[in-house]
Amino acid sequence: MSPRRSAAEALRTRDRIIDRSVDLASLEGLEGLTIGRLASDLGLSKSGLLGHFGTKEALQIAALRRAAEIFNAEIWAPAEPAAPGLPRLRAVCAAWISYLEREVFPGGCLFVSATFEYDGRAGAVHALMKRQFHAWDGRLTAEIRAAVRAGDLPADTDPAQLVFELYGVMMSLNHTIQLNGDRSAAVRARRAIDRLLAG
Amino acid sequence: MSPRRSAAEALRTRDRIIDRSVDLASLEGLEGLTIGRLASDLGLSKSGLLGHFGTKEALQIAALRRAAEIFNAEIWAPAEPAAPGLPRLRAVCAAWISYLEREVFPGGCLFVSATFEYDGRAGAVHALMKRQFHAWDGRLTAEIRAAVRAGDLPADTDPAQLVFELYGVMMSLNHTIQLNGDRSAAVRARRAIDRLLAG
DNA sequence: ATAGCGACCGAACGATCGGTCGGTATAGCG
DNA sequence: CGCTATACCGACCGATCGTTCGGTCGCTAT
């Protein structure tokens, strides 16, 4: 049926596969993502699709990387113009809540579901996820420290403690939106963040 | 090989199946729980095992119910003797943190993973989970209201807001323990709770 | 003593899983 | 133009999924 595509078109095909993988994985989980379903959704054969990645694990990793790019574009990039420290921290949290509220991923934040799906299992997916969370920990911690230096947060602030609580708010928001379909929980998240970041 | 067991032994068999299901589901997810794996773990045939429940969905529901019993026994029962309101609320949170710290379920709180696994899907499992969360919401809300009436929490406390933030702390704790194996995060959870419940 | 219930087994079902293989047709390069 | 690299397909693999079926055998009630 479909003959060979040009290199440029092949890249677009690969792109479409990853995009659809991210959406499907957010709905069904990274493990529930199946090659057959994905192929039929995109009008490809399983073998043609898998040719782009080799293994399912490689596809999962590609999806996770793409999700990280989207996350960065949604949360960190908009906050970039803000001044380091508390202003940027506030911008990050606002973008984060908005990202959950708008359901950028149809089944909720892919990292939240993936971390609870893969926290126990070993393997490349687990390792990559751990690295990604660690990177975000680092970025958040850096901003918190800057805010403390600037006097915008109390001097005795424990960055790890604050990061821990920030994650909690975001996970609870993701949970409420996805389980109960209650997007208005975003106002509760904003209130919680306001209290956490009050100087 | 194994002949028929008496009715009492059959109940014990059913019990063993459910117990093992809860553990497996906390590690692999309610969907990753497979009949074949479960049967071979317990030295049963797939058909003999499934005969107790009929369908996989019924087994998942039995596992979820059992998990709820354990959760109640771990979190609510120990807090029962405490006075209604803030004392009981503190007891509940302490037991909750301890339950996560001790990893009562080997793969972390089954409800946390299950809610992120099933929040999108329709079906009996989703419905049951939603009901269970709703029940806990109600219990927590009742204690919070009692604490407000007793003057142990500020009069302008929004119970739904507090429940939202309590869930966040527990989810973040579960995440940290399971992804990073860092049980010491329990001290961060206790600090966060102390601040949330400070009069 | 015996009939029947039911817990359990072993074999098999169709479906689907991730993955392999050989072939085909074209795009890009010489 | 011809050559090669490769994007893709269709057929197929063994394994495993949840589920069904017929049969066996011990417990229990008569």
Side-chain angles (χ1 to χ4, degrees):
Chain A
M1 288 291 180
S2 307
R4 182 187 181 248
R5 307 301 170 81
S6 73
E9 287 180 41
L11 274 183
R12 278 199 309 140
T13 300
R14 198 187 135 95
D15 233 52
R16 281 199 312 140
I17 296 171
I18 299 180
D19 275 340
R20 184 88 188 121
S21 297
V22 169
D23 283 354
L24 265 181
S26 92
L27 286 166
E28 319 273 357
L30 272 169
E31 205 57 39
L33 181 74
T34 72
I35 315 277
R37 164 83 187 278
L38 199 52
S40 84
D41 274 17
L42 297 169
L44 294 175
S45 67
K46 292 202 298 170
S47 54
L49 187 152
L50 206 53
H52 285 277
F53 305 94
T55 68
K56 179 178 178 175
E57 191 179 44
L59 170 63
Q60 292 172 318
I61 286 181
L64 213 50
R65 281 195 210 281
R66 170 68 49 88
E69 289 171 18
I70 296 173
F71 189 85
N72 282 328
E74 284 279 343
I75 277 91
W76 290 100
E80 198 66 34
L86 191 61
R88 187 174 291 164
L89 210 49
R90 283 196 194 279
V92 165
C93 289
W96 203 343
I97 292 172
S98 159
Y99 146 93
L100 292 172
E101 195 179 16
R102 285 177 291 121
E103 293 184 79
V104 170
F105 299 123
C109 179
L110 183 56
F111 294 99
V112 174
S113 29
T115 188
F116 289 112
E117 190 179 357
Y118 276 84
D119 52 19
R121 292 178 241 234
V125 175
H126 173 91
L128 174 59
M129 229 177 38
K130 211 168 155 178
R131 253 181 290 135
Q132 285 173 339
F133 270 102
H134 190 72
W136 292 328
D137 286 356
R139 288 218 236 179
L140 287 170
T141 301
E143 298 300 335
I144 292 170
R145 281 199 225 279
V148 170
R149 276 196 303 273
D152 288 335
L153 283 179
D156 65 347
T157 301
D158 177 354
Q161 176 78 25
L162 188 46
V163 169
F164 176 91
E165 299 193 34
L166 288 177
Y167 276 145
V169 172
M170 300 309 169
M171 289 184 194
S172 191
L173 177 57
N174 190 83
H175 162 81
T176 307
I177 289 177
Q178 295 299 321
L179 183 66
N180 301 322
D182 176 15
R183 294 198 194 199
S184 76
V187 314
R188 283 200 275 276
R190 291 196 182 90
R191 213 179 309 168
I193 295 295
D194 281 347
R195 210 174 27 72
L196 283 174
L197 298 185
Chain B
M1 289 293 175
S2 309
R4 188 197 174 238
R5 308 300 168 83
S6 73
E9 287 179 43
L11 274 183
R12 279 199 307 141
T13 300
R14 196 187 138 95
D15 233 52
R16 282 199 312 141
I17 296 172
I18 300 180
D19 275 341
R20 183 85 188 125
S21 295
V22 168
D23 283 353
L24 266 180
S26 91
L27 287 165
E28 319 274 356
L30 272 170
E31 204 57 37
L33 180 73
T34 73
I35 315 277
R37 164 83 187 278
L38 198 52
S40 84
D41 274 17
L42 297 169
L44 295 175
S45 67
K46 291 202 296 172
S47 52
L49 188 151
L50 204 55
H52 285 276
F53 306 94
T55 68
K56 179 177 179 178
E57 192 180 44
L59 170 63
Q60 292 172 319
I61 286 180
L64 214 50
R65 280 195 212 280
R66 169 67 49 87
E69 288 170 20
I70 296 173
F71 189 85
N72 283 327
E74 284 279 342
I75 278 89
W76 289 100
E80 198 66 33
L86 191 61
R88 186 175 292 165
L89 210 50
R90 282 196 195 280
V92 164
C93 289
W96 202 345
I97 292 172
S98 160
Y99 146 92
L100 292 172
E101 195 179 15
R102 284 176 293 122
E103 294 185 78
V104 170
F105 298 124
C109 179
L110 182 56
F111 294 99
V112 173
S113 28
T115 189
F116 289 113
E117 190 179 357
Y118 276 85
D119 52 20
R121 290 178 243 235
V125 175
H126 172 91
L128 174 58
M129 229 176 38
K130 210 168 156 179
R131 253 181 290 136
Q132 285 174 339
F133 270 102
H134 189 72
W136 293 329
D137 286 356
R139 290 219 235 179
L140 288 170
T141 301
E143 298 300 336
I144 292 170
R145 281 199 226 278
V148 170
R149 275 196 303 273
D152 287 335
L153 283 178
D156 65 345
T157 300
D158 177 353
Q161 175 77 27
L162 187 46
V163 169
F164 177 90
E165 299 193 35
L166 288 177
Y167 276 145
V169 172
M170 300 309 170
M171 289 186 195
S172 190
L173 177 57
N174 190 83
H175 162 82
T176 307
I177 289 178
Q178 294 299 321
L179 184 65
N180 301 324
D182 176 15
R183 295 198 193 197
S184 75
V187 314
R188 283 199 276 277
R190 292 199 180 88
R191 211 179 310 170
I193 295 295
D194 281 347
R195 209 174 27 70
L196 282 175
L197 298 185

